[in-house]
Amino acid sequence: MKICCPHCGKEYTIKKETLKGYSGTVSIPCPNCKEKILLHPGAAGTEEADRASGHDMQAKGKAPATGDALKQRIFKTLKDLPPMPQVVQKARKVLSDPNSSFGDLAKVIESDQGIVTRVLKMANSPYYGLSGNVSSVKHASVVLGTKTLMELLNLACSSEILGQTLEGYDLAAGDLWMHSLAVANGSQLIARRVNPSLEQDAFSAGLIHDVGKIILDPYILERKAEFQTFVKERSDTFLEAEKVILGFDHAELASEVCERWQIPRHIVLAIRYHHDPTPSDNDMLSYIVHLADAAAIMSGIGAGFDGMLYTIHGDALSRLRLKEDDLFDIMGEIACYVDKTTQQA
Ligand SMILES: [Fe+2]
Ligand SMILES: [Fe+2]
């Protein structure tokens, strides 16, 4: 690689390996004029930076896609992702029918044996207080009520997809699952305080608010060095890195995917604005999920990279008419919920 002394103009050739492992600024004395030549091994144009930023791929004609082009690529591969289980959609329909019974809901759930097993496992967890006593979905629906059963159904359907390792986000297996449980429960608790009619939707929105991370993870992993450099050097959030490097963030992507999955519109809106509810037109559910997300991250539950420099929207507490003490109470409750829900009966 050629370098040129900015003081005397003398040119030198140095081996790229000499700078391997260096980042930031490196200073070497010019053999001719003895002034300092400043080198930036991590700057654009050097091999290290090129590899990190994907410029080497561009040189080979394989520029990593960003913005709409990347979104289109992602949508094409969506068929490989497990869709929202039909059983949840069917169960929602049953619940919205005033003539339906406990038995009708149980019948829908029982149509999927894998889900039945997971529903029963959770119904028997210490949190739901029925340890070892719930042996059938119908029994669970009678003892727990249809609302709680629906909550368990949502949990059972999402545990597999949310439980995986996300290497791009530095989340170990189960981290995102615990974070999602925390945000689901936190959203439900906040809704109970500010607008109880939103409790169920708050739980559902909180549970899947970060589903965009599962979709984006392989694309982040592809350019992980670039993300790490961005966050470290700019002291900025990981969310900002998504926007700058990929052209959109996981919240935006998730809302578009959830629309395709025909998730109800108000839940899609809360997912879209969970990091910044300002453009949501005062949507209460968006503020609720945002605050629950912040509470989970402040409690250190499954944040990974995304938790770095997380900012709570300045108005979130006042818009929901909550005080800081409420937030601390919620943080305590969600930690307890996550602990008990993930304990085996
Ligand atoms: Fe998020
Ligand atoms: Fe989150």
Side-chain angles (χ1 to χ4, degrees):
M1 129 187 204
K2 281 202 181 323
I3 60 166
C4 178
C5 173
H7 309 283
C8 67
K10 182 115 176 136
E11 281 194 354
Y12 303 96
T13 303
I14 60 166
K15 286 184 181 164
K16 283 173 185 169
E17 291 77 31
T18 316
L19 295 174
K20 210 171 175 187
Y22 286 96
S23 59
T25 305
V26 176
S27 161
I28 56 167
C30 171
N32 185 44
C33 71
K34 313 293 180 222
E35 288 288 338
K36 282 179 184 167
I37 304 174
L38 299 178
L39 300 173
H40 308 280
T46 63
E47 191 185 43
E48 189 178 326
D50 284 352
R51 205 180 301 119
S53 64
H55 290 167
D56 58 340
M57 292 170 80
Q58 285 172 15
K60 289 171 193 155
K62 281 193 242 160
T66 56
D68 283 345
L70 178 57
K71 271 191 198 167
Q72 290 317 314
R73 205 178 126 199
I74 292 172
F75 292 148
K76 267 191 203 154
T77 60
L78 265 186
K79 57 180 184 330
D80 300 330
L81 270 176
M84 275 294 137
Q86 280 203 338
V87 62
V88 177
Q89 317 265 23
K90 282 189 200 162
R92 271 206 191 104
K93 252 190 202 158
V94 168
L95 274 187
S96 62
D97 177 357
N99 298 319
S100 66
S101 64
F102 285 142
D104 293 331
L105 182 60
K107 228 183 262 170
V108 169
I109 298 175
E110 279 162 357
S111 66
D112 186 324
Q113 268 314 303
I115 287 173
V116 170
T117 314
R118 276 178 262 152
V119 164
L120 291 179
K121 198 170 151 193
M122 288 185 182
N124 285 304
S125 75
Y127 180 78
Y128 291 94
L130 302 167
S131 300
N133 292 321
V134 182
S135 53
S136 72
V137 176
K138 193 162 182 198
H139 182 194
S141 70
V142 175
V143 183
L144 297 168
T146 47
K147 269 191 180 176
T148 308
L149 185 60
M150 194 61 198
E151 192 178 303
L152 287 171
L153 177 62
N154 271 313
L155 289 176
C157 291
S158 52
S159 63
E160 215 165 352
I161 183 168
L162 294 170
Q164 51 190 290
T165 306
L166 300 184
E167 275 185 64
Y169 284 95
D170 265 359
L171 290 167
D175 280 357
L176 184 62
W177 169 236
M178 284 202 279
H179 174 67
S180 306
L181 280 178
V183 179
N185 180 243
S187 301
Q188 187 179 39
L189 293 170
I190 296 168
R192 196 171 292 162
R193 283 168 156 88
V194 302
N195 184 346
S197 71
L198 289 176
E199 258 192 65
Q200 278 302 112
D201 286 340
F203 185 88
S204 305
L207 192 62
I208 57 170
H209 76 288
D210 267 341
V211 73
K213 287 187 182 175
I214 293 162
I215 304 163
L216 263 191
D217 190 64
Y219 304 92
I220 305 255
L221 191 59
E222 242 173 41
R223 304 167 72 164
K224 193 164 176 182
E226 199 179 350
F227 274 88
Q228 285 171 327
T229 305
F230 182 100
V231 173
K232 200 171 152 197
E233 290 188 354
R234 297 210 199 177
S235 299
D236 214 331
T237 59
F238 199 79
L239 191 79
E240 193 57 29
E242 290 177 3
K243 285 183 205 157
V244 172
I245 297 170
L246 302 178
F248 53 86
D249 60 39
H250 67 273
E252 184 182 329
L253 181 71
S255 65
E256 290 181 33
V257 171
C258 285
E259 250 171 33
R260 285 164 188 243
W261 280 342
Q262 297 182 328
I263 304 280
R265 181 84 196 104
H266 51 289
I267 293 181
V268 172
L269 198 69
I271 292 170
R272 172 72 187 87
Y273 297 115
H274 76 266
H275 279 276
D276 178 11
T278 323
S280 72
D281 208 12
N282 269 332
D283 176 58
M284 189 178 264
L285 200 54
S286 299
Y287 276 91
I288 288 173
V289 177
H290 170 67
L291 199 59
D293 195 24
I297 285 170
M298 282 156 58
S299 310
I301 304 176
F305 263 144
D306 193 35
M308 287 172 145
L309 305 166
Y310 192 93
T311 42
I312 302 189
H313 186 274
D315 289 347
L317 279 173
S318 58
R319 276 189 198 267
L320 294 171
R321 292 170 203 234
L322 292 174
K323 302 210 166 58
E324 259 185 26
D325 281 351
D326 294 310
L327 188 61
F328 293 134
D329 286 348
I330 287 160
M331 283 166 65
E333 286 185 60
I334 59 179
C336 179
Y337 173 81
V338 171
D339 204 36
K340 287 191 171 170
T341 315
T342 51
Q343 267 176 42
Q344 302 290 324

